[in-house]
């Protein structure tokens, strides 16, 4: 598919935006007055807010429906999306379980298979709701595979329901547990399981603050009201999780007040009188119990090792002073997994995967021969498993599942998807550019072979830059469609992420947050200077923390790009910590209440407060979900209202509000296709594209 470009640009029609009333709310921060005229849009229970959402969608979809190639893009996307997809198998009891999607099913279906018998449907989330908006979340089997507990999310909400079932007979046991949030599930024998949640908030369950997380134990056959608090009754932590080791011996609890840094506790379940022992009693670093072999614990930590290392310690006396290095820190970031009695040390080298296999004494067995340059994930398995599965992908290679023999190190293809996309026709190159302060930043740029670099190629620049999350090469059908239309897709590995360990993360937090925006701006300038694209053909895109990135960059450098695509963004940085679990993000952001200095720093970049009168902002399509209880939609509502009120140019400012949808997890395939088609058609149309050939 080739783009035909018209230099005349899209037909400019005056958009009449819905009237958004202004209130008189003014806040005072350290003596500085800040008006918040659209505070009323924070009330998600208000009829006025609901009416505003309805009117905004009417304008947005009215605009999108008039883009001549919108339906063509959607049709092509459906065809490309329609291929069989699998997840790696895992053995539970006498069955092998795997998930499959026949192509356009809204949700993956969980199957099971006994020996070589025909697979049977175990759970079909497509039958949970008529519109496919109820998805399967966590699923956890008991150690013998006879029992299972699984969570479901309705409308994309972080608040879940949990159902327990006899896995053999598929008989539901007891009542459905409700109001469970940010929870794993972990069985103690077949008696019951551990889960985490908050007390149900007063007022709006969508936006009310949630601060006190607790770990509960649910005994099968009892009421949820009888569930006992195992951890958190007398100690307030924002995030608490509990998991039982594979051998059933230990309960490990992680507790945190923010998204970085956690305490670690352990309890011996074979000793009824045993109390929790402290492994780590502060929030200074990140720690995770990978596995155990008897009383020997294997822990991955970044204590005195910003790129992480693996240590061992005896569970009977697990304090930090007794830790022994097993796999020391290297110059590359470590993200390990365990399976079949081995440790798989997954390293990131400039955002590219490298995997080494170690035994439990720390001896290097071999480097795993990966099928190419890209991202490998998985490698987790039970101790008794004779094979380990992993997935490999990059921007032009659909995720392929491999089966690894741990004894020989030989991998073979287990499942390879048949996608209507020829990755051999494209180049995916990693380059390095310098940011404003001279820092060297990696970026992977993907485009069709033979493309002329003349500054006229429609380009999407994507970024995230926060919470130590690494952006590694991964295939997506929507990105593949963009490439097929003749577009360029670029991903910048900016600071704030985890590509180079905790130092890289910290370089994009709190009073260093501007580094993230500078890195992204410099990425755009590089693409323009090297003639990949120009300001007339550049779009910037990001979601959640990446939505903040787009909002900050488009308000700081509105001349840099033609189109801005902020999704479910954290846009009001002065108030983000007052909603749901937002206060947990303060490690990255700081808050407007911390100090006058911190307030002034945040105030300088907060997107909602930095939309200015008389500025020509890029064509903007803000996207959010009306049930997003992670980053509440008020962030996007207020940002869109400010832009519509102050936009000086003719570029459209629209907000697309998905109804009965949350932050993104579990989004039905049908909605994902519609969202991508709308985003790409809006982008191309505002770059002057008249038709696709």
């Amino acid at each position: 598919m080739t783009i035909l470009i018209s230099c005349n640009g899209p037909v400019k029609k005056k958009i009449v935006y819905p009237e958004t009333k202004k209130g008189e709310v003014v806040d005072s921060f350290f003596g500085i007055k800040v008006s918040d005229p659209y505070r009323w849009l924070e009330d998600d229970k208000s009829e006025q807010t609901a009416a505003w959402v309805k009117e905004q969608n009417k304008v947005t979809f009215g605009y999108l429906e008039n883009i001549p190639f919108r339906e063509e893009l959607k049709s092509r996307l459906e065809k490309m999306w329609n291929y069989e997809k699998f997840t790696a198998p895992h053995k539970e009891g006498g069955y092998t379980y795997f998930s499959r999607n026949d192509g356009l099913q809204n949700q993956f279906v969980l199957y099971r298979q006994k020996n070589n018998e025909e697979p049977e449907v175990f759970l079909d989330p497509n039958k949970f709701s008529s519109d496919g908006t109820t998805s399967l979340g966590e699923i956890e089997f008991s150690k013998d595979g006879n029992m299972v507990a699984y969570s479901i999310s309705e409308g994309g909400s972080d608040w879940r329901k949990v159902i327990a079932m006899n896995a053999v007979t598929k008989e539901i046991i007891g009542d459905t547990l409700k109001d469970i949030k940010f929870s794993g599930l972990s069985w103690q024998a077949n008696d019951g399981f551990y889960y985490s949640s908050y007390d149900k908030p007063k007022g709006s369950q969508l936006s009310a603050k949630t601060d006190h997380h607790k770990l509960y134990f649910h005994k099968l056959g009892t009421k949820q009201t009888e569930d006992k608090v195992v951890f958190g009754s007398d100690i307030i932590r924002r995030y608490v999780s509990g998991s039982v080791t594979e051998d059933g011996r230990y309960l490990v609890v992680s507790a945190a007040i923010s998204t970085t840094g956690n305490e670690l506790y352990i309890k011996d379940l074979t000793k009824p009188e045993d109390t929790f022992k402290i492994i780590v009693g502060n929030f200074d670093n990140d720690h995770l119990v990978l596995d155990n072999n008897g009383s020997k614990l294997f822990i991955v930590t970044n204590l005195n090792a910003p790129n992480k290392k693996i240590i061992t310690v005896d569970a009977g006396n697990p304090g930090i002073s007794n830790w022994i290095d097993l796999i020391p820190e290297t110059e590359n970031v470590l993200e390990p997994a365990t399976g079949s009695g081995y440790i798989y040390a997954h390293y990131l080298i400039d955002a590219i995967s490298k995997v080494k296999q170690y035994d439990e004494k720390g001896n290097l067995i071999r480097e795993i021969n990966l099928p190419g340059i890209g991202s490998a994930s998985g490698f987790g398995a039970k101790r008794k498993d004779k094979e380990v599965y992993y997935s490999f992908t990059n921007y032009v290679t659909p995720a392929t599942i491999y089966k690894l023999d741990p004894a020989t190190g030989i991998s073979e293809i287990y499942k390879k998807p048949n996608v209507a996309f020829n990755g051999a026709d494209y180049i995916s190159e990693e380059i390095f550019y310098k940011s404003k302060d001279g820092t060297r930043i990696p970026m992977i740029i993907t485009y069709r072979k033979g493309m002329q670099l003349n500054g006229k190629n429609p380009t999407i620049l994507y970024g995230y830059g926060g919470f130590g999350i690494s952006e590694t090469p991964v295939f997506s059908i929507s990105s593949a469609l963009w490439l097929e239309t003749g577009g360029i897709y670029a991903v910048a590995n900016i600071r704030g992420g985890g590509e180079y360990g905790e130092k890289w993360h910290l370089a994009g937090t709190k009073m260093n947050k501007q580094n993230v925006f500078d890195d992204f701006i410099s990425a755009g300038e590089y693409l323009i200077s090297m003639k990949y694209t120009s300001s007339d053909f550049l779009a910037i895109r990001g979601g959640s923390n990446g939505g903040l990135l787009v909002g900050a960059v488009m308000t700081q450098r509105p001349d840099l790009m033609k189109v801005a695509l902020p999704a479910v963004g954290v846009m009001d940085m002065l108030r983000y910590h007052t909603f749901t679990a937002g206060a947990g993000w303060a490690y990255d952001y700081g808050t407007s209440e911390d100090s006058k200095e911190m307030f002034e720093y945040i105030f300088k970049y907060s997107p909602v407060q930095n939309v200015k009168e008389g500025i020509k902002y890029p064509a903007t399509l803000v996207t959010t979900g009306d049930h997003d209880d992670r980053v509440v939609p008020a962030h996007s509502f207020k940002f869109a209202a400010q832009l519509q009120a102050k936009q000086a140019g003719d570029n459209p400012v629209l907000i697309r509000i998905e109804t009965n949808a949350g932050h993104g997890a579990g989004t039905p395939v049908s909605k994902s296709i519609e969202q991508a088609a709308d985003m790409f058609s809006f982008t191309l149309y505002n770059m002057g594209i008249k038709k696709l050939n």
Side-chain angles (χ1 to χ4, degrees):
M1 189 186 297
T2 304
I3 293 176
L4 299 184
I5 297 177
S6 166
C7 295
N8 298 323
V11 176
K12 300 291 186 181
K13 291 185 178 180
K14 182 69 175 177
I15 299 176
V16 179
Y17 299 112
E19 182 180 354
T20 306
K21 70 174 184 178
K22 292 184 177 181
E24 303 297 328
V25 177
V26 177
D27 293 316
S28 180
F29 297 90
F30 302 97
I32 299 172
K33 303 293 183 183
V34 180
S35 64
D36 191 3
Y38 304 116
R39 178 75 60 85
W40 64 274
L41 286 170
E42 293 179 3
D43 186 356
D44 54 87
K45 290 189 169 183
S46 160
E47 290 184 5
Q48 288 181 312
T49 302
W52 184 87
V53 167
K54 185 177 180 180
E55 289 302 308
Q56 288 287 347
N57 269 344
K58 185 177 178 181
V59 171
T60 296
F61 286 104
Y63 180 95
L64 294 171
E65 286 163 5
N66 283 317
I67 297 176
F69 45 79
R70 179 190 183 216
E71 288 303 315
E72 184 181 347
L73 277 173
K74 181 182 175 184
S75 176
R76 175 59 182 158
L77 195 53
E78 284 179 342
K79 289 178 181 177
M80 291 181 68
W81 211 296
N82 192 12
Y83 68 94
E84 194 175 33
K85 308 166 190 71
F86 289 87
T87 63
H90 54 98
K91 293 179 181 177
E92 309 290 348
Y95 292 92
T96 297
Y97 291 82
F98 62 92
S99 293
R100 173 184 175 270
N101 190 308
D102 65 15
L104 294 175
Q105 288 175 289
N106 277 320
Q107 305 289 344
F108 273 73
V109 178
L110 181 61
Y111 289 82
R112 71 177 179 185
Q113 185 175 17
K114 196 165 192 176
N115 300 321
N116 293 320
E117 296 176 8
E118 192 70 19
E120 65 172 344
V121 173
F122 184 67
L123 284 174
D124 185 357
N126 296 292
K127 296 180 178 179
F128 291 174
S129 61
S130 59
D131 60 358
T133 58
T134 300
S135 60
L136 181 64
E138 294 283 333
I139 182 163
E140 186 69 21
F141 289 83
S142 61
K143 307 307 174 186
D144 61 8
N146 290 335
M147 310 298 294
V148 66
Y150 63 92
S151 67
I152 61 173
S153 169
E154 297 169 317
S157 175
D158 282 334
W159 289 98
R160 308 289 174 89
K161 295 177 179 177
V162 172
I163 297 164
M165 192 166 71
N166 183 309
V168 179
T169 65
K170 296 198 275 190
E171 176 188 1
I172 292 177
I173 301 171
D175 298 330
T176 297
L177 308 188
K178 299 179 180 179
D179 301 320
I180 295 173
K181 186 174 184 180
F182 295 159
S183 178
L185 301 169
S186 191
W187 285 86
Q188 179 177 305
N190 287 337
D191 299 335
F193 54 87
Y194 297 93
Y195 69 91
S196 307
S197 196
Y198 304 90
D199 293 333
K200 191 172 182 178
K202 297 177 181 178
S204 171
Q205 195 162 337
L206 173 65
S207 59
K209 198 170 184 178
T210 48
D211 267 347
H212 191 178
H213 217 203
K214 303 171 190 175
L215 180 68
Y216 294 85
F217 179 74
H218 176 71
K219 186 174 177 61
L220 290 185
T222 65
K223 299 289 185 183
Q224 185 178 1
T225 53
E226 299 172 13
D227 292 351
K228 293 182 179 179
V229 177
V230 177
F231 186 96
S233 59
D234 56 353
I235 185 171
I236 297 177
R237 299 291 182 261
R238 192 165 283 117
Y239 308 110
V240 173
S241 64
S243 61
V244 178
T245 53
E246 185 182 329
D247 61 5
R249 180 172 177 180
Y250 297 105
L251 171 63
V252 179
V253 172
S254 172
I257 56 174
S258 70
T259 51
T260 296
N262 66 295
E263 301 167 321
L264 211 53
Y265 302 84
I266 193 167
K267 182 178 184 179
D268 191 336
L269 296 175
T270 66
K271 301 175 181 178
E273 74 286 353
D274 199 42
T275 57
F276 281 107
K277 291 183 175 67
I278 298 174
I279 302 177
V280 180
N282 60 65
F283 308 106
D284 297 341
N285 298 93
D286 296 313
H287 324 275
L288 174 70
V289 175
L290 273 178
D291 201 356
N292 71 299
N293 191 345
S295 64
K296 186 178 185 179
L297 303 178
F298 299 88
I299 298 174
V300 59
T301 179
N302 62 7
L303 174 64
N304 300 321
N307 291 338
K308 297 184 184 177
K309 64 181 178 180
I310 297 175
I311 64 93
T312 60
V313 70
D314 190 272
N317 196 6
I320 292 172
S321 60
N322 298 312
W323 289 8
I324 300 171
D325 284 3
L326 182 74
I327 300 178
E329 180 191 24
T330 72
E331 61 182 2
N332 301 310
V333 182
L334 172 65
E335 294 292 346
T338 59
S340 303
Y342 294 97
I343 298 169
Y344 295 91
H346 174 268
Y347 293 99
L348 280 185
I349 303 176
D350 299 328
I352 303 300
S353 290
K354 183 176 184 178
V355 181
K356 295 182 177 181
Q357 181 182 356
Y358 289 85
D359 66 18
E360 291 188 345
K361 294 181 180 179
N363 298 312
L364 176 64
I365 304 300
R366 62 179 60 88
E367 181 177 336
I368 303 300
N369 186 23
L370 297 177
I373 296 173
S375 302
S377 60
F379 296 98
K382 296 181 175 66
R383 282 187 169 271
K384 64 181 180 181
D385 289 344
K386 301 299 183 185
E387 60 273 326
V388 172
Y389 295 88
Y390 66 92
S391 176
F392 180 83
T393 183
N394 56 40
Y395 292 118
V396 297
T397 304
T400 299
I401 301 171
Y402 289 82
K403 181 168 70 173
L404 170 70
D405 181 349
T408 64
I410 296 173
S411 297
E412 61 181 54
I413 292 176
Y414 175 75
K415 292 287 185 183
K416 183 177 182 179
N418 183 20
V419 186
F421 175 80
N422 186 9
D425 292 340
Y426 300 87
I427 294 171
S428 198
E429 60 179 350
E430 184 169 42
I431 61 90
F432 295 86
Y433 66 92
K434 287 188 176 180
S435 188
K436 183 179 181 180
D437 63 359
T439 300
R440 183 174 179 261
I441 313 289
M443 177 163 57
I444 297 180
I445 309 169
T446 308
Y447 55 95
R448 187 186 293 275
K449 290 179 179 177
M451 175 179 284
Q452 187 178 357
L453 302 185
N454 57 10
K456 296 182 179 180
N457 301 303
T459 299
I460 290 178
L461 171 61
Y462 178 88
Y464 187 79
F467 300 93
I469 295 172
S470 302
E471 290 296 331
T472 57
V474 61
F475 181 84
S476 82
I477 285 295
S478 58
S479 297
L481 174 70
W482 178 257
L483 295 173
E484 278 208 346
T485 62
I488 293 176
Y489 186 67
V491 179
N493 295 106
I494 55 184
R495 282 174 283 185
E499 290 86 350
Y500 295 106
E502 187 60 9
K503 290 180 180 178
W504 195 253
H505 171 214
L506 293 176
T509 62
K510 293 189 175 74
M511 304 288 278
N512 293 322
K513 190 65 180 175
Q514 185 59 41
N515 287 337
V516 180
F517 313 138
D518 289 343
D519 290 355
F520 202 58
I521 289 168
S522 296
E525 291 175 337
Y526 176 89
L527 291 168
I528 292 168
S529 68
M530 300 303 290
K531 301 293 185 181
Y532 287 96
T533 191
S534 63
S535 292
D536 288 335
F537 296 99
L538 177 63
I540 60 172
R541 179 188 174 198
S544 197
N545 175 73
L548 161 63
L549 170 68
V550 172
V553 168
M554 67 177 285
T555 51
Q556 292 182 16
R557 284 291 308 277
D559 61 307
L560 183 66
M561 76 294 299
K562 184 64 177 179
V563 178
L565 303 165
V568 293
V570 189
M571 298 301 197
D572 187 347
M573 296 303 297
L574 300 185
R575 288 180 53 76
Y576 78 88
H577 59 290
T578 65
F579 304 113
T580 62
W585 312 333
Y587 186 93
D588 260 53
Y589 297 147
T591 77
S592 56
E593 299 171 358
D594 289 347
S595 66
K596 186 172 186 289
E597 184 183 28
M598 193 75 250
F599 156 71
E600 290 176 343
Y601 190 89
I602 292 172
F603 188 43
K604 280 185 178 180
Y605 74 77
S606 179
V608 165
Q609 286 78 27
N610 280 280
V611 179
K612 309 296 185 186
E613 293 274 5
I615 300 295
K616 293 182 179 180
Y617 291 101
T620 304
L621 181 63
V622 181
T623 52
T624 188
D626 68 343
H627 283 69
D628 190 342
D629 46 18
R630 185 89 53 88
V631 179
V632 295
H635 283 282
S636 294
F637 294 174
K638 292 164 74 172
F639 186 57
Q642 289 279 13
L643 283 168
Q644 288 179 354
K646 297 177 179 178
Q647 171 70 296
D650 295 326
N651 291 325
V653 173
L654 303 174
I655 180 167
R656 186 189 189 282
I657 306 158
E658 191 72 69
T659 55
N660 200 25
H663 198 60
T667 300
V669 164
S670 57
K671 287 183 179 287
S672 295
I673 289 172
E674 290 170 359
Q675 291 167 5
D678 287 349
M679 176 182 65
F680 291 151
S681 58
F682 177 87
T683 300
L684 293 171
Y685 187 63
N686 280 283
M687 289 177 176
I689 310 306
K690 291 298 179 66
K691 63 179 181 178
L692 306 176
N693 191 21

